[in-house]
């Protein structure tokens, strides 16, 4: 159970039998890849203890102060997991995050009785057919090939009661995939329109036609996040006689609703993917939950026979056996990558592709 910083420090002094249980700088390498957290932490607000004296996994409440002056209490694990799926700078502060995306205020809907079909009446809806006193969903299902019972069976077990009582098509529920993919969220309107499991839908647009482990050109691949990736790709193209036009690899398990992953640079002949990692403008990229996503992506690639070389820039620490320290895009970086390729596939094999 988390405790305040004074109690935590006193307990550590007693358990380790030292006035300073953790010397200054002990955990510097663990925190330096979070520049925003380094800026938010102030020793004078935390019993004079510096951030480099706090283990990242410590179960202790610390006081933080964001760039806007908001002070809040959070554990190290909570702060390191703060970015989530957003790329706003406000993600590092709970108050800033709430102000940036306020929750909508929902006014209660008064009871208006039930339709003849037994489902609740919606007083906000203007009925188009006054002679048919059934809810909108029941009337809509008359025009579809699905019955209400079949629609309920498509829902995940925890959402079936809600779907069976639904009177419209705009509400969002959890659904299960016939192919065994993870459950997903979608409105009834999307289900009736045929836009069901996103993994199946995305795979039909490309990945289904490709064998597992094969590189291909995907329509879903995002554009490069910065100018560094194209610059590095151009320098590698000058050194290696390899087709660098592929942008996706088919994997065996879903990754963020796709059966494919999109490394920055693909070397299909060597079955090696190259990633160029920085923390980004607001220190949100490749840290916390996104670092775990990178690790999972690497595991999926290795499971289908590929290897990954990550160029880790700034204070980012290596997360794989072949990662290299980054910097400016130049000949020195290319040479480090080529050396890693030789370690992975063999110097003679790589030499056959050198220009």
């Amino acid at each position: 159970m988390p405790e305040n910083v004074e109690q935590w420090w006193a307990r550590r002094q007693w358990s380790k039998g030292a006035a300073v249980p953790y010397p200054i700088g002990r955990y510097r390498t663990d925190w330096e890849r979070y520049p925003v957290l380094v800026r938010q932490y102030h020793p004078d607000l935390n019993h004079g203890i510096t951030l480099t004296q706090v283990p990242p996994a410590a179960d202790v409440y610390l006081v933080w102060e964001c760039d806007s002056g908001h002070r809040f209490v959070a554990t190290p694990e909570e702060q390191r997991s703060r970015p989530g799926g957003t790329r706003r700078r406000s993600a590092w502060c709970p108050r800033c995050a709430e102000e940036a995306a306020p929750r909508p205020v929902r006014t209660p809907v008064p009871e208006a009785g039930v339709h003849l079909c037994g489902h609740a009446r919606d007083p906000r809806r203007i009925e188009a057919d006054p002679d048919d006193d059934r809810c909108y969903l029941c009337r809509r299902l008359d025009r579809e090939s699905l019955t209400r019972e079949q629609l309920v069976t498509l829902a995940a077990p925890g959402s079936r009661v809600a779907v069976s009582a639904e009177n419209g098509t705009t509400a969002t529920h959890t659904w299960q995939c016939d192919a065994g993919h993870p459950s997903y969220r979608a409105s009834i309107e999307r289900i009736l329109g045929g836009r069901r499991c996103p993994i199946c839908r995305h795979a039909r647009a490309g990945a289904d036609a490709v064998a597992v482990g094969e590189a291909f050109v995907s329509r879903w691949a995002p554009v490069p996040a910065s100018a560094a990736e194209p610059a590095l790709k151009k320098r590698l193209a000058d050194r290696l006689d390899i087709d660098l036009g592929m942008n996706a690899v088919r994997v065996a398990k879903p990754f963020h609703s796709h059966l494919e992953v999109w490394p920055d640079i693909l070397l299909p002949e060597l079955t090696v993917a190259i990633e160029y990692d920085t923390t980004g403008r607001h220190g949100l990229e490749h840290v916390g939950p996104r670092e775990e996503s990178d690790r999972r992506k690497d595991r999926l690639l290795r499971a289908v026979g590929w290897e990954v070389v990550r160029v880790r820039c700034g204070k980012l620490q290596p997360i794989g056996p072949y990662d290299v320290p980054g910097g400016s895009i130049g000949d020195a970086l290319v040479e480090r990558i080529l050396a890693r390729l030789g370690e992975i596939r063999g110097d003679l094999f790589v030499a056959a592709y050198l220009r």
Side-chain angles (χ1 to χ4, degrees):
M1 181 176 180
E3 54 192 343
N4 68 54
V5 67
E6 294 185 28
Q7 293 174 335
W8 172 78
W9 190 252
R11 185 167 58 82
R12 283 303 179 190
Q13 289 175 322
W14 175 80
S15 64
K16 292 186 174 292
V20 183
Y22 301 113
I24 295 176
R26 170 78 175 273
Y27 299 100
R28 186 183 305 277
T29 56
D30 295 295
W31 287 108
E32 62 186 4
R33 49 185 165 161
Y34 297 91
V36 176
L37 299 187
V38 173
R39 195 165 61 247
Q40 286 186 347
Y41 186 87
H42 302 279
D44 56 306
L45 301 177
N46 292 280
H47 198 53
I49 300 168
T50 67
L51 187 58
T52 60
Q53 293 176 281
V54 180
D59 208 13
V60 56
Y61 285 125
L62 302 174
V63 180
W64 311 80
E65 184 176 273
C66 74
D67 296 338
S68 299
H70 301 143
R71 291 186 182 181
F72 57 96
V73 176
T75 65
E77 182 62 27
E78 288 173 338
Q79 277 303 92
R80 294 172 69 197
S81 303
R82 192 72 76 178
T86 181
R87 282 177 162 78
R88 297 191 189 98
R89 183 176 58 180
S90 59
W92 293 105
C93 170
R95 183 173 170 185
C96 289
E98 184 176 356
E99 292 177 353
R103 294 182 178 179
V105 178
R106 298 186 181 274
T107 56
V109 179
E111 292 289 339
V114 296
H115 290 278
L116 289 178
C117 58
H119 301 114
R121 192 182 301 275
D122 188 352
R124 299 168 298 182
R125 182 181 295 279
I126 300 176
E127 301 297 346
D129 187 1
D131 296 329
D132 189 355
D133 190 23
R134 293 183 300 162
C135 70
Y136 174 76
L137 180 55
C138 285
R139 288 186 281 114
R140 172 67 186 278
L141 288 172
D142 287 346
R143 308 193 302 267
E144 302 291 338
S145 59
L146 280 176
T147 64
R148 170 84 67 160
E149 290 73 19
Q150 291 171 330
L151 182 66
V152 171
T153 59
L154 292 177
S159 295
R160 288 175 181 171
V161 173
V163 173
S164 64
E166 191 60 65
N167 61 1
T169 60
T170 58
T172 300
H173 300 281
T174 303
W175 309 86
Q176 57 188 0
C177 174
D178 294 337
H181 296 142
S183 58
Y184 58 95
R185 299 280 293 175
S187 66
I188 295 178
E189 185 64 42
R190 292 173 68 92
I191 298 299
L192 296 178
R195 302 186 66 187
R196 299 180 184 176
C197 173
I199 298 174
C200 293
R201 192 171 70 251
H202 294 154
R204 284 194 297 270
D208 277 350
V210 181
V212 172
E214 185 176 338
F216 65 104
V217 178
S218 171
R219 57 173 287 195
W220 303 111
V223 298
S226 68
E229 291 92 336
L232 180 58
K233 179 184 287 190
K234 184 178 182 304
R235 285 184 175 271
L236 287 172
D238 292 340
R239 297 294 307 275
L240 294 170
D241 188 13
I242 291 178
D243 179 16
L244 302 182
M246 307 296 180
N247 60 7
V249 177
R250 172 71 152 87
V251 291
K253 295 182 179 180
F255 181 73
H256 295 303
S257 78
H258 289 269
L259 285 173
E260 59 191 68
V261 295
W262 313 303
D264 294 331
I265 302 172
L266 290 177
L267 308 177
E269 287 83 350
L270 303 177
T271 59
V272 174
I274 298 175
E275 300 275 17
Y276 189 84
D277 298 341
T278 69
T279 56
R281 181 179 180 183
H282 300 309
L284 298 168
E285 307 296 333
H286 304 289
V287 296
R290 293 181 182 173
E291 181 178 303
E292 293 304 316
S293 180
D294 290 339
R295 293 179 185 273
R296 181 167 172 262
K297 181 180 180 181
D298 293 354
R299 290 195 298 269
L300 290 173
L301 282 168
R302 293 186 178 106
V304 296
W306 286 67
E307 190 51 74
V308 183
V309 176
R310 287 188 174 272
V311 180
R312 306 285 282 177
C313 299
K315 301 297 184 179
L316 292 174
Q317 301 298 313
I319 62 173
Y322 299 107
D323 293 354
V324 298
S328 60
I329 306 298
D331 294 337
L333 176 59
V334 173
E335 290 298 330
R336 290 198 296 271
I337 293 175
L338 293 177
R340 287 300 196 203
L341 296 178
E343 294 177 24
I344 297 169
R345 300 301 180 218
D347 291 331
L348 291 178
F349 189 73
V350 175
Y353 293 96
L354 292 176
R355 292 186 187 276

